[in-house]
Amino acid sequence: EGDDLASPEVLPSISVPAVVAKQPEAETPVSTPIPEVELYSEVITVEPRKVGLLIGPKGVTKIAIQEATGVNITMPRIDKPADGSPVATSPSTSPVSVTVEGPEAGVKRAVAALNELITKGYTTLLTPEDFVEGSVTVHPRYLPDIIGK
């Protein structure tokens, strides 16, 4: 009994011819010239305090607009003190330039989206298709209750 387990049975090997279908030769790809897209550039001026709104948290808004329109958006860098201490001089109030570059149609859509962000605080380019804009009339007396005191 123990000897059967110690010496495994050796099976004879059988040779089976394999049938392999010949793959058709791949056609050499025809190099089609990539159409050159004429780049278009537009510069808009923005208040420095609105730049953060255009960028969004961790750049999400800027990246989403770039991906949706196929453009490159270049914004100025607004430096803050590294230690978080208050700035001795008041921040610049002069407008900053935001450059949008890419195909003309994409630049037009991106500029419209950036202008919406500046004026409304959101852009319809990044909202769902069923998004509806509405308004509500509120007596000024109740604004502190809605906005906060």
Side-chain angles (χ1 to χ4, degrees):
E1 289 177 29
D3 292 349
D4 292 337
L5 293 177
S7 59
E9 186 178 324
V10 178
L11 296 175
S13 62
I14 300 173
S15 178
V16 178
V19 178
V20 178
K22 185 176 180 183
Q23 298 292 326
E25 292 184 26
E27 295 180 18
T28 56
V30 178
S31 70
T32 55
I34 299 172
E36 289 189 29
V37 177
E38 188 172 328
L39 293 181
Y40 183 77
S41 179
E42 194 166 329
V43 177
I44 60 172
T45 55
V46 180
E47 296 175 42
R49 64 187 182 97
K50 298 281 187 171
V51 171
L53 177 67
L54 300 180
I55 296 171
K58 298 186 182 182
V60 172
T61 305
K62 176 186 166 191
I63 292 168
I65 292 172
Q66 289 180 143
E67 289 177 354
T69 58
V71 301
N72 183 33
I73 301 172
T74 307
M75 298 188 184
R77 183 172 184 88
I78 307 280
D79 292 325
K80 294 181 181 176
D83 61 357
S85 63
V87 181
T89 59
S90 63
S92 173
T93 56
S94 60
V96 295
S97 297
V98 175
T99 306
V100 182
E101 297 175 312
E104 186 173 0
V107 170
K108 299 280 185 202
R109 289 179 60 212
V111 168
L114 293 172
N115 285 327
E116 269 188 318
L117 274 169
I118 293 167
T119 57
K120 296 179 181 180
Y122 67 92
T123 176
T124 53
L125 179 70
L126 304 178
T127 56
E129 289 182 22
D130 59 348
F131 177 80
V132 178
E133 183 177 351
S135 64
V136 177
T137 304
V138 177
H139 190 279
R141 182 174 97 189
Y142 298 110
L143 286 176
D145 293 333
I146 296 170
I147 298 172
K149 298 177 182 183

